[in-house]
């Protein structure tokens, strides 16, 4: 499957946003469609190398669920899809189950976890080594004090020959520089 940018942009217009994704005047996926599009295009370019019809996918920092739902609804992925992260309200986890997706509450930045989380959560994703074919870590690593911990956990969970898609914002773009003023 090749990425069709215009078809994806149309998909974002009718996307079923949850209350965590809703933003005025538009929801999260629609406002971030260029960033999501680049990520999905990269995934589709490398997907054939996985040699599996149903890749097992983990979205690290998967809240508010936009990527997880897009993988199911737009790309029609049928393998196991999970999310993992610090934010995991019960209603959010329940909603993801409607998309046959799981979510693990975990703290992949233990250096700051005790300051940001009112409840204790494990410092590891509750899955065995090599449980995933693909791991997404989109725009999350720049929020960690110990990015190596997040990477170590990602590589523990990734099967040999698997795919890690990691993105971080480009602070040098003109739009990001103007926001800083």
């Amino acid at each position: 499957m090749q990425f069709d940018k215009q078809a994806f942009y149309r998909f974002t217009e009718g996307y079923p946003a949850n209350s965590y994704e809703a933003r005025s005047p538009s929801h999260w996926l629609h406002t971030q469609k260029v960033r999501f599009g680049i990520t999905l295009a990269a995934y589709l370019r490398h997907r054939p190398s996985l040699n599996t019809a149903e890749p097992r996918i983990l979205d690290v920092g998967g809240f508010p669920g936009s990527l997880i739902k897009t993988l199911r609804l737009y790309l029609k992925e049928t393998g196991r899809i999970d999310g993992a992260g610090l934010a995991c309200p019960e209603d959010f986890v329940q909603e993801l189950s409607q998309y046959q997706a799981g979510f693990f509450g975990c703290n992949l930045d233990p250096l700051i976890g005790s300051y940001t989380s009112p409840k204790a959560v494990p410092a590891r994703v509750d899955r065995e080594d090599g449980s995933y074919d693909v791991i997404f870590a989109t725009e999350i690593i720049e929020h960690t004090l110990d990015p190596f911990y997040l990477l170590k956990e990602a590589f523990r969970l990734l099967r040999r020959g698997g795919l890690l898609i990691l993105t971080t914002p480009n602070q040098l773009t003109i739009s990001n520089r103007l926001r800083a003023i």
Side-chain angles (χ1 to χ4, degrees), residues 90-109:
E90 187 57 38
D91 61 332
F92 167 69
V93 175
Q94 194 66 27
E95 184 206 359
L96 285 185
S97 70
Q98 296 172 18
Y99 298 94
Q100 296 79 46
F103 198 87
F104 299 99
C106 62
N107 178 8
L108 297 180
D109 191 15

Side-chain angles (χ1 to χ4, degrees), residues 21-22 103 107 127 136 155 172:
E21 296 168 294
F103 198 87
N107 178 8
R127 287 285 189 209
F136 287 91
F155 283 111
L172 299 178

Side-chain angles (χ1 to χ4, degrees), residues 10-154:
R10 285 190 302 277
F11 166 79
T12 67
E13 293 169 7
Y15 173 82
N18 64 35
S19 61
Y20 298 104
E21 296 168 294
R23 298 175 77 158
S24 291
S26 192
H27 60 77
W28 179 246
L29 182 66
H30 188 67
T31 62
Q32 299 296 313
K33 65 186 175 191
V34 172
R35 177 174 69 84
F36 275 94
I38 291 168
T39 302
L40 294 173
Y43 169 64
L44 290 174
R45 250 190 333 273
H46 296 283
R47 192 186 184 294
S49 70
L50 298 171
N51 296 319
T52 180
E54 295 186 337
R56 301 161 301 163
I57 301 170
L58 176 67
D59 182 13
V60 175
F63 187 82
S66 306
L67 180 60
I68 294 167
K69 289 165 44 180
T70 299
L71 289 166
R72 278 280 187 247
L73 299 174
Y74 181 69
L75 294 186
K76 309 289 189 214
E77 288 292 1
T78 57
R80 184 175 76 221
I81 300 177
D82 295 316
L86 203 51
C88 58
E90 187 57 38
D91 61 332
F92 167 69
V93 175
Q94 194 66 27
E95 184 206 359
L96 285 185
S97 70
Q98 296 172 18
Y99 298 94
Q100 296 79 46
F103 198 87
F104 299 99
C106 62
N107 178 8
L108 297 180
D109 191 15
L111 287 178
I112 63 167
S114 60
Y115 301 107
T116 60
S117 180
K119 61 181 180 180
V121 292
R124 290 169 52 109
V125 175
D126 188 20
R127 287 285 189 209
E128 293 183 17
D129 297 2
S131 291
Y132 294 98
D133 302 300
V134 181
I135 296 180
F136 287 91
T138 57
E139 315 238 346
I140 187 75
I141 200 163
E142 70 276 10
H143 298 284
T144 63
L145 289 178
D146 187 359
F148 295 107
Y149 187 87
L150 186 146
L151 290 171
K152 181 179 168 188
E153 181 67 355

